[in-house]
Amino acid sequence: MATHTERPGAGLGPFFHARSIAVVGASDDITKIGGRPVYMLRKHGYAGAVYPVNPKGGTVQGMTAYASVRDTPTAPELAILAVPAAATPAALRDCAARGVKAAIVLSSGFGELGAEGAAMQAELVDIARQHGMRILGPNCLGTVNVADRMIGSFSISLEEYMPLPGGVGIVSQSGNVGSHTMNTVARRGLGVSQFMATGNEADVDVADGIAALAEDEATRIILCCMETCRHGERLVAALELARSRGKPVIVLKVGSTEQGQAAAASHTGALTGSDAVIDAVFRRHGALRVRSVEELIDIGHAASILMPGRLPQRDAVTVMAASGGFGVMMADAMSQAGLRLPALDTKTCERIRHVLPMAGTGNPVDATAQMSSRPDILQKLLSALLEDPSGSALVMFMSLSLYNSRLRGVYLEALARVREAHPERALMIVSQGPADAVAQINALGIPVFPSIDAAASGLAGLVRLGQLAGRPASAARRPVPEEAVDPAVFRNEYEAKRVLAAAGIDVPQEAVVRSVEEAVRAAEGIGYPVVMKIVSADIPHKTEAGGVALNLRSAAAVRDAYGTIAASVARHAPQARVEGMLVAPMVKGGVEMIAGISRDPVFGPVVMVGMGGIHAEVLKDVAVQAAPVSEDEALAMIRSLRMFALLDGARGQPKADIRAAARCVARLSEFACRHAAGIAEIDMNPILVRPEGEGAVVLDALMIPAAPATPAH
Amino acid sequence: MATHTERPGAGLGPFFHARSIAVVGASDDITKIGGRPVYMLRKHGYAGAVYPVNPKGGTVQGMTAYASVRDTPTAPELAILAVPAAATPAALRDCAARGVKAAIVLSSGFGELGAEGAAMQAELVDIARQHGMRILGPNCLGTVNVADRMIGSFSISLEEYMPLPGGVGIVSQSGNVGSHTMNTVARRGLGVSQFMATGNEADVDVADGIAALAEDEATRIILCCMETCRHGERLVAALELARSRGKPVIVLKVGSTEQGQAAAASHTGALTGSDAVIDAVFRRHGALRVRSVEELIDIGHAASILMPGRLPQRDAVTVMAASGGFGVMMADAMSQAGLRLPALDTKTCERIRHVLPMAGTGNPVDATAQMSSRPDILQKLLSALLEDPSGSALVMFMSLSLYNSRLRGVYLEALARVREAHPERALMIVSQGPADAVAQINALGIPVFPSIDAAASGLAGLVRLGQLAGRPASAARRPVPEEAVDPAVFRNEYEAKRVLAAAGIDVPQEAVVRSVEEAVRAAEGIGYPVVMKIVSADIPHKTEAGGVALNLRSAAAVRDAYGTIAASVARHAPQARVEGMLVAPMVKGGVEMIAGISRDPVFGPVVMVGMGGIHAEVLKDVAVQAAPVSEDEALAMIRSLRMFALLDGARGQPKADIRAAARCVARLSEFACRHAAGIAEIDMNPILVRPEGEGAVVLDALMIPAAPATPAH
């Protein structure tokens, strides 16, 4: 993998705006990857110069062909390489020699095929680096700038059909997924600005693409499909750039790779999937993650129609149908998608009943089949609902009515009037066509979803986009200076907690003792009751080894326990090197949580927080985020836990001090960043979160050194 | 609501097969509900007699009209009533006098509008009962028998377009949802047998409709949309009838009414939603429940294409795409839908690489763009996958390829050849059209889903249908004879547990005592350690009142505790009538569960089982089923709990005796049926489920009498 030092998007101009293009490996056969770009550049009317390059010279598709890129009349601003993998490095060297600054390598047969291909791919990167050249691919579907008819791609979907120019930008790692998206968006009558498919990402990656689209004037919204994220910081920078330019990013991330997780040594590592991390990163940096290519297109389409200014910002919706059955289905789907369905205002209900006395004025509104009897009736109903003080978005179900010509006339007239009267409000339709009627409704600025479920998840997504649009960019991540770590922290829980305490995290007052009398003295100092625990790096599971005694209420009990623990440990783990015994106060009363740090291969230290014990393990009820996190971010993570009710006064318990828990998590996350080079993983388990105002205290902690292993003894 | 004594489906013949139909309220205006049936019966070529009835006489739509149904040339076999609500009872009386045995009341303005309408609706039922007549509706969309062009409906979707005759039967409470389903099914080129929309269900209900379709020869699959189930037993009988006739039932149940639940007095009642109960009933009686009308249609459509004989029975799938990206999306969606993706056999991989050396032979199979280069290549790939020994279903992603005429030719030829070579195997396609290409593929016996998600949930549903098809009807529910209940069981936990013990449920050996010395004697008999609990119907929360002492290890401790409890209870609940103290063994070691009985308004006693304490309450991690359940059914309920891992040896704990827990639940469910008249709700909380072989013991129990309240003292 190449190391990127430039900011994402730098040097990508020629991929979209080249005024001259060499197609290396140009062919007369337009079904070949060296033939189709030449064919499509000419067919769709690219205004720049096209230089077919073919060692045989002569002509290609009727144009003069050049034996080498060194022979072209001018230095091309962009080269498209469509020669076999083995011939690609030489072709790229020719380009470099000719002063080409950007090359698209369409050919496959590189890193995706194994070691030999990867070596060739690395060679391409070396050549590019030496000559200050950017390369897209290899094994990619290239780029398209629709307005300029600049096609650096062999996508078969462009063979017959070119999208209209417009505001949707598409960047995808997979060429097939990207071109499917472009094609579907175009078939729905929506305009496309630029397209980029990054393939193997030897150099240019999805983050570059997002950044380039963020800076592109024509692009208003960015649809992104990614499989692997290779550079966490660059992705974050690109997302923040798009946010600062007011361009929503909708991401379909496929393939939840769980690499590195199997080998995790801590609880935290085992509980922190890399998919959950990227999910959290997208959320924090303003991108909307979707779960399917249909959702990507549906929401992207709807957002384009509603932008600027009409994206719903409240999570409230009113639903209306000509039937109770579909109304209830819509209400169910909307609330499952997390939207509220507020009751209508009394005046709104009166207005509806004035128009249609038999209508049901709940939410869902049952407007009966009468709603489509006359355009003025439907218009009055819709106006009443859009003027309801709840300010909800409005979703109307249409079944197959648009297939009936009389009903189609009623609907279109009513919608046109309503749109004119309420240009600023979010109104959406559920309908399955026909396509030309849907296009007419879209042209009114009204999104149409193909199903109730699509409308529900779509509206929920649009609300999130609307809320993100209204929010300032997240505070820049404060870089945390790195510090060396004292290797003692890996030795035992006492040392681990000692450094956590120095980082501002509450731990019990405790002591390591090496004799019975030391233990009693420590206990007297701490105050009864106390707990005692064996201290040994060789005994990870203290309870199982008989190495723990709880609730010791007197000097006698401490003496007793000392002997019992020593004997039990000697029996269970005769080889273990024992450093002493820990004496600590017996802390009770509160809810147990866990928190920790694991190492993500892309995003570095990741902080995790969850409910304690069985809940984290069996339910995987944890929240994660790339470190560091602020106290407020940590609080939001805690509130997102499914078992949050346990902290919030369930079963008549007092509310827990979640503010203190959040502070503890935030400080842990900063600590982890400060020691990112030395500490790979941290478990704080359990953290006792006490009633409000009483704090949160870490009762046990474990740290795992980053490789190369720091000696543990 | 009418009480039904007949078996579901009885007497419904004329609704589908009438040879003469009177339309009462017939109109010249075909947009009116009295005009459209007359128009459509004639337009679509109904062969029977149509008698328009209108008090003005004369003609209707060119046909002789009769002033009253008493004047028609013969007694019509079916009457369609389309007069205003207030005129309907008189019209129905006329029909009864004429000897009509079946009437469809299309008119609205009855029970759906409140008390006055409900009274008129009841009047209709009275008239029908008196004359042995069945009525469908009121406020309904009636019936259609497609093959006979018999249209007892005013569905606007039939105004222009009639479905082809075929095997899909549709029964829906909501007319709009039903006609949307019929219309969509028909637009996809699938044939329909019969349609019934039941509306207010004054008499005929969805269970009747399912039973009628089960007995209809043309119907091969039943699509059902229901909102309210009014008669649990009749629904179960109809589902079992369909199962015995080999006809899959796919149900969309909308509107999860939680009626009666707010008032529940027990934990069980609060945790048992009626939606979960009907879900469990559908599952037990072989119906497939779906979550959206799209799923209903997609799965119904696919099942029709695959039946008989090609419904997949294994939960295994191989997915193939021309791109890695879509392959991974398919794999993700399939595993989220609960399907397995087994690795391909080595020979299969060799066969694939022989055809396409660059193909990825994992599962997903990445067949690269080359897969569509020639029909013989695609055919060889598909054959290799269908002959893989895993016997998996095969799903192929096509993106928008069918829009490209060259690719369309390749796909269709390859699919035709493969279908011929493997007529028995389940092969499915994901494609978004165009519609005529999809119809061609369907005609080959290959279902096409519009999206990856639809294919995943669709295949999962088809597998369930395939498995149900291969399974014998569920054992008939053994009727449990009712017995009176001893009112003492409501008095306290001791009495409640005593009768549970008599029903074969394990409870601790325990005693109620009324003095310190009795307490000590009881403890000595039981053996230390013991627990003591206050016994008083006035103290539901014993712990909060200081009424519980645990882990008493000696006579002295028992004496102490007796005094402490008595004092504490006197302070906390000075008015409480105390019946004594319970002495019981201190049982430890095991996992806490809960089980109980609540009363469903439709299905009667419902049994619930869940994890103990906080898990049931905060996570609602419970399973429910209409009582009684067998031990095996109870075991399946326990295994379905999200926290089942807690019972199955999570965290190194021994496996719990789930067989004993299941026995306890099954016996509870029988006990509840036996005492259904007297006991409304039962909580067994906690049940301590001990390690395997050591049983499950109910530590506390509470019973709530059925109204009218049995005196608790």
Side-chain angles (χ1 to χ4, degrees), chain A residues 603-640:
Chain A
F603 292 99
V606 167
V607 63
M608 178 276 282
V609 62
M611 300 310 300
I614 207 81
H615 299 113
E617 265 178 72
V618 176
L619 291 175
K620 308 238 182 293
D621 187 14
V622 301
V624 299
Q625 185 56 276
V629 297
S630 68
E631 238 180 270
D632 283 345
E633 285 171 339
L635 199 59
M637 290 168 73
I638 292 171
R639 286 187 185 280
S640 77

Side-chain angles (χ1 to χ4, degrees), chain B residues 161-164 180-192:
Chain B
Y161 182 78
M162 185 80 180
L164 294 174
H180 173 90
T181 303
M182 174 165 64
N183 204 340
T184 309
V185 161
R187 278 183 189 285
R188 293 200 186 179
L190 211 62
V192 174

Side-chain angles (χ1 to χ4, degrees), chain A residues 1-339:
Chain A
M1 212 57 52
T3 308
H4 292 268
T5 49
E6 319 94 316
R7 63 177 174 77
L12 299 196
F15 290 110
F16 298 109
H17 302 290
R19 282 162 301 182
S20 53
I21 304 177
V23 180
V24 182
S27 161
D28 271 325
D29 181 348
I30 69 157
T31 70
K32 297 214 161 144
I33 68 166
R36 202 176 289 136
V38 175
Y39 171 76
M40 296 194 298
L41 282 164
R42 300 184 68 203
K43 168 172 177 168
H44 293 304
Y46 169 63
V50 178
Y51 304 134
V53 174
N54 190 304
K56 296 177 204 152
T59 64
V60 164
Q61 300 183 34
M63 303 170 75
T64 305
Y66 304 90
S68 159
V69 77
R70 298 174 187 251
D71 305 332
T72 55
T74 66
E77 293 185 1
L78 174 68
I80 299 173
L81 273 58
V83 294
T88 302
L92 191 65
R93 273 197 195 89
D94 285 352
C95 291
R98 190 73 177 92
V100 174
K101 290 297 173 204
I104 298 174
V105 184
L106 301 178
S107 329
S108 58
F110 292 89
E112 79 279 10
L113 281 196
E116 201 181 328
M120 275 196 297
Q121 184 168 319
E123 196 180 346
L124 300 185
V125 175
D126 284 346
I127 298 165
R129 292 273 178 273
Q130 283 163 26
H131 297 87
M133 185 190 249
R134 299 294 311 254
I135 51 174
L136 178 63
N139 187 29
C140 78
L141 209 59
T143 59
V144 180
N145 177 339
V146 176
D148 292 356
R149 331 302 271 173
M150 203 225 81
I151 301 171
S153 174
F154 64 104
S155 169
I156 196 168
S157 68
L158 299 171
E159 203 177 283
E160 298 175 352
Y161 181 79
M162 184 80 180
L164 294 173
V168 179
I170 296 162
V171 54
S172 173
Q173 216 167 327
S174 156
N176 212 325
V177 177
S179 69
H180 173 90
T181 303
M182 175 165 63
N183 205 340
T184 308
V185 161
R187 277 183 190 285
R188 292 199 185 178
L190 211 62
V192 174
S193 56
Q194 300 185 340
F195 167 91
M196 172 181 268
T198 55
N200 286 11
E201 301 194 339
D203 173 24
V204 173
D205 65 4
V206 161
D208 280 308
I210 292 171
L213 292 171
E215 300 282 23
D216 173 51
E217 278 195 17
T219 301
R220 293 166 59 222
I221 185 165
I222 300 167
L223 307 190
C224 173
C225 320
M226 75 191 290
E227 290 169 35
T228 318
C229 175
R230 295 182 171 87
H231 307 280
E233 275 180 42
R234 286 168 50 77
L235 179 65
V236 166
L239 294 176
E240 287 297 339
L241 181 66
R243 170 141 75 176
S244 72
R245 296 290 182 274
K247 301 191 181 176
V249 179
I250 309 180
V251 190
L252 174 63
K253 165 81 173 65
V254 294
S256 36
T257 58
E258 301 296 328
Q259 66 201 67
Q261 194 179 324
S266 65
H267 272 69
T268 303
L271 286 168
T272 308
S274 61
D275 193 62
V277 178
I278 201 161
D279 209 71
V281 167
F282 283 137
R283 209 177 315 117
R284 179 161 70 185
H285 299 285
L288 177 68
R289 185 174 184 185
V290 292
R291 301 285 155 188
S292 70
V293 70
E294 288 80 24
E295 233 179 67
L296 179 74
I297 293 164
D298 283 343
I299 299 180
H301 190 178
S304 307
I305 289 175
L306 294 173
M307 282 171 59
R310 264 177 299 146
L311 283 176
Q313 304 208 358
R314 302 189 196 186
D315 63 350
V317 61
T318 304
V319 296
M320 176 170 117
S323 117
F326 281 116
V328 173
M329 280 186 223
M330 289 220 283
D332 279 359
M334 296 290 163
S335 41
Q336 269 164 38
L339 298 162

Side-chain angles (χ1 to χ4, degrees), chain A residues 31 36 108-109 112-113 156 159-160 174 176-181 183-184 187-188 225 227 252-256 267 291-295 322-326 328-329 332 358 397 399-400 403-407 430 432 450-453 544 613-615 617-619 642-646 650-651 685, chain B residues 31 36 108-109 112-113 156 159-160 174 176-181 183-184 187-188 225 227 252-256 267 291-295 322-326 328-329 332 358 397 399-400 403-407 430 432 450-453 544 613-615 617-619 642-646 650-651 685:
Chain A
T31 70
R36 202 176 289 136
S108 58
E112 79 279 10
L113 281 196
I156 196 168
E159 203 177 283
E160 298 175 352
S174 156
N176 212 325
V177 177
S179 69
H180 173 90
T181 303
N183 205 340
T184 308
R187 277 183 190 285
R188 292 199 185 178
C225 320
E227 290 169 35
L252 174 63
K253 165 81 173 65
V254 294
S256 36
H267 272 69
R291 301 285 155 188
S292 70
V293 70
E294 288 80 24
E295 233 179 67
S323 117
F326 281 116
V328 173
M329 280 186 223
D332 279 359
M358 305 274 271
F397 184 82
S399 184
L400 299 168
Y403 283 98
N404 177 301
S405 51
R406 183 171 60 78
L407 297 182
V430 179
Q432 295 186 289
S451 71
I452 291 173
D453 283 347
E544 285 78 345
I614 207 81
H615 299 113
E617 265 178 72
V618 176
L619 291 175
R642 274 180 286 164
M643 300 288 279
F644 175 69
L646 285 186
R651 303 192 108 197
N685 180 11
Chain B
T31 70
R36 203 176 288 137
S108 58
E112 79 279 11
L113 280 196
I156 197 167
E159 204 177 282
E160 297 174 351
S174 156
N176 212 325
V177 177
S179 69
H180 173 90
T181 303
N183 204 340
T184 309
R187 278 183 189 285
R188 293 200 186 179
C225 321
E227 290 170 33
L252 174 64
K253 165 81 174 63
V254 293
S256 37
H267 272 68
R291 300 285 153 188
S292 71
V293 70
E294 288 79 26
E295 231 180 67
S323 118
F326 281 117
V328 173
M329 280 185 224
D332 280 359
M358 306 273 270
F397 184 81
S399 183
L400 299 168
Y403 284 97
N404 177 301
S405 51
R406 185 171 60 79
L407 297 182
V430 180
Q432 295 188 286
S451 70
I452 291 172
D453 284 347
E544 284 80 343
I614 208 81
H615 299 113
E617 265 176 73
V618 176
L619 291 175
R642 273 181 285 164
M643 299 288 281
F644 176 69
L646 284 187
R651 303 192 106 198
N685 180 12

